[in-house]
Amino acid sequence: MEKKQETDIQHPEAWELLVAIDDRRVDYILYTPAVAGSLLMGHVSRTDDTLRALEDAFYDTPRLLAEYKRVRVVVRSPHFVILPGDTHDDDCARLLLAAFPHDDGDPAVCQLPLNGVKIAYLMPRGMQAFLGRTLNYPELYHHLHPMCEHFKGLNRSDDVSRMFLNLKAESMDLAIYRQGALQCANSYRFTNAQDATYYALNAWRSHGLDQLTDELQLTGDGPMRAAMTPMLREFVKYVMPAVYPAAAMQLGRNAMQAPLELILLAL
């Protein structure tokens, strides 16, 4: 397992922990609101996508196990549905299981109040129970929650439609807004920038965005942004970097090195 060097935290009850879990690794950030620039971060690689490997990742990282003031966990799940915000949680679970009848995961629901929707998603079986007994009252979120809530705040009422891409080396998250309303949110895995560009442009066309007036904004992995930008500009006039939230710099000078979903949730 790959771990960052750890620094002892003397008073964890004053700190907040945010964790991002996917099938390959566990990323985390720590900060205390009382001290500007206090941000600490690290990650642990998982040997595989089993619950046992996730348990090992936590137990081998003592920093994750302290009694923090607040704990928030972002779970990357490819099996999800986006539903109206007034859908009852029982109905969310029923509709989710109908959409993915062969997945034996545990259903979970998170609210996106700014967007007026809920995301119902499947967590690997046993993960929710493990997190509940291991962490200090963790709040659970689907991985699209921070991105969608953040960019909704930038699109409250606007005639310009926008697509936002948060890029990683082998995956990307996508959100589309039309007249300030969320139209689509999805995630894709890919092996190269050409495939990622294809997925983005296919979503652009499917949702009827205008290649001459609407905007495509990118954030995340620098090399992937550099590779995709010229290809996207062959088809979309306004392709630009998304503005990184200035408030993140108050967390720590290294905030831009942390996973965007954790930084956005911290803000």
Side-chain angles (χ1 to χ4, degrees), residues 110-137:
C110 72
Q111 185 93 35
L112 282 67
L114 294 182
N115 285 280
V117 301
K118 289 180 175 179
I119 298 180
Y121 61 102
L122 286 166
M123 300 175 62
R125 183 163 296 280
M127 179 189 289
Q128 189 167 1
F130 165 71
L131 295 173
R133 65 176 180 266
T134 304
L135 303 175
N136 186 30
Y137 297 102

Side-chain angles (χ1 to χ4, degrees), residues 5-12 15 30 38 40 62-63 66 68:
Q5 183 177 0
E6 297 195 357
T7 303
D8 289 336
I9 295 176
Q10 298 299 322
H11 298 284
W15 288 68
L30 284 156
S38 60
L40 302 171
R63 177 180 278 182
Y68 293 107

Side-chain angles (χ1 to χ4, degrees), residues 18-216:
L18 292 94
V19 181
I21 299 174
D22 67 19
D23 57 359
R24 302 179 183 183
R25 56 190 278 159
V26 176
D27 288 279
Y28 64 89
I29 66 171
L30 284 156
Y31 73 99
T32 173
V35 180
S38 60
L39 182 70
L40 302 171
M41 68 181 71
H43 76 269
V44 191
S45 298
R46 297 175 61 177
T47 55
D48 54 51
D49 62 356
T50 63
L51 179 61
R52 177 61 182 271
L54 179 66
E55 293 172 344
D56 290 342
F58 273 82
Y59 294 145
D60 290 344
T61 313
R63 177 180 278 182
L64 296 175
L65 305 177
E67 295 289 316
Y68 293 107
K69 174 184 177 182
R70 187 180 185 188
V71 179
R72 285 169 280 179
V73 181
V74 176
V75 178
R76 180 165 289 273
S77 169
H79 291 173
F80 66 92
V81 293
I82 300 177
L83 300 165
D86 59 357
T87 308
H88 192 278
D89 283 359
D90 290 343
D91 291 329
C92 288
R94 177 178 56 80
L95 293 167
L96 174 68
L97 295 175
F100 302 100
H102 303 298
D103 191 313
D104 66 348
D106 296 323
V109 178
C110 72
Q111 185 93 35
L112 282 67
L114 294 182
N115 285 280
V117 301
K118 289 180 175 179
I119 298 180
Y121 61 102
L122 286 166
M123 300 175 62
R125 183 163 296 280
M127 179 189 289
Q128 189 167 1
F130 165 71
L131 295 173
R133 65 176 180 266
T134 304
L135 303 175
N136 186 30
Y137 297 102
E139 304 166 31
L140 304 181
Y141 301 85
H142 186 263
H143 70 272
L144 289 172
H145 176 286
M147 175 183 177
C148 290
E149 289 291 89
H150 173 72
F151 288 122
K152 169 62 177 178
L154 304 180
N155 288 272
R156 294 188 182 277
S157 58
D158 202 325
D159 291 335
V160 175
S161 297
R162 294 183 177 90
M163 172 188 286
F164 296 92
L165 299 179
N166 179 29
L167 302 171
K168 300 179 184 292
E170 297 179 343
S171 67
M172 69 179 179
D173 301 326
L174 174 153
I176 295 175
Y177 292 86
R178 184 186 297 277
Q179 295 182 337
L182 180 67
Q183 299 296 300
C184 169
N186 210 342
S187 296
Y188 304 86
R189 285 200 181 275
F190 50 80
T191 57
N192 54 61
Q194 289 79 8
D195 287 350
T197 300
Y198 169 80
Y199 294 138
L201 291 174
N202 186 60
W204 181 279
R205 287 191 293 266
S206 296
H207 289 274
L209 274 68
D210 192 306
Q211 68 187 79
L212 297 179
T213 60
D214 293 332
E215 296 178 1
L216 200 165

